[in-house]
Amino acid sequence: QFVESGGGLVQPGGSRRLSCAASGLSLSLISVGWFRQAPGKEREKVSCITSAGDSTYYADSVKGRFTISRDDAKNTVYLQMNSLKPEDTAVYSCAAGYGSACFFGDDFDSWGQGTQVTVSS
């Protein structure tokens, strides 16, 4: 299971780091994806890191602004978000991915409860 943290209110252009702490799961055996969902919109896969930790995925909407990373000692995946925009406002969740889920399909489970990020002045 995952527990997300780090959300909150941030001004446009600001930064925020989200954490996704895993329990009962070894990050070396799964991919971990970050997703977001804004009110009235479909869930969007924002970023993903593979089980080997050597490949990452970013949605075009966040490429160059967000960075995903992993700390195996803490069993935690992070999402560093820079140059935040109002359209980044959403509930951000993480989940475990299998196979090629980072890049194809949507084979994810063990969803966390999510953390709200609001970008507003």
Side-chain angles (χ1 to χ4, degrees), residues 20-71:
C20 170
S23 61
L25 296 168
S26 172
L27 297 183
S28 63
L29 299 178
I30 58 171
S31 299
V32 176
W34 277 102
F35 296 78
R36 68 184 180 186
Q37 187 164 22
K41 294 188 176 181
E42 292 188 357
R43 186 171 63 200
E44 175 187 18
K45 184 167 63 180
V46 173
S47 184
C48 190
I49 186 166
T50 60
S51 56
D54 57 355
S55 295
T56 56
Y57 163 87
Y58 295 98
D60 287 343
S61 56
V62 306
K63 203 169 290 184
R65 299 188 298 122
F66 290 12
T67 303
I68 191 169
S69 63
R70 195 175 85 185
D71 186 333

Side-chain angles (χ1 to χ4, degrees), residues 2-4 9 23 43 57-58 78 87 92-93 106 116:
F2 293 105
V3 177
E4 302 93 339
L9 176 64
S23 61
R43 186 171 63 200
Y57 163 87
Y58 295 98
Y78 301 99
E87 50 263 44
Y92 285 72
S93 303
D106 58 358
Q116 175 73 45

Side-chain angles (χ1 to χ4, degrees), residues 31 45 48 96-108:
S31 299
K45 184 167 63 180
C48 190
Y98 303 91
S100 58
C102 269
F103 303 98
F104 305 103
D106 58 358
D107 189 9
F108 289 88

Side-chain angles (χ1 to χ4, degrees), residues 73-92:
K74 295 183 178 180
N75 220 33
T76 299
V77 175
Y78 301 99
L79 186 68
Q80 178 67 44
M81 307 185 296
N82 298 328
S83 302
L84 283 163
K85 305 174 182 179
E87 50 263 44
D88 294 318
T89 296
V91 175
Y92 285 72

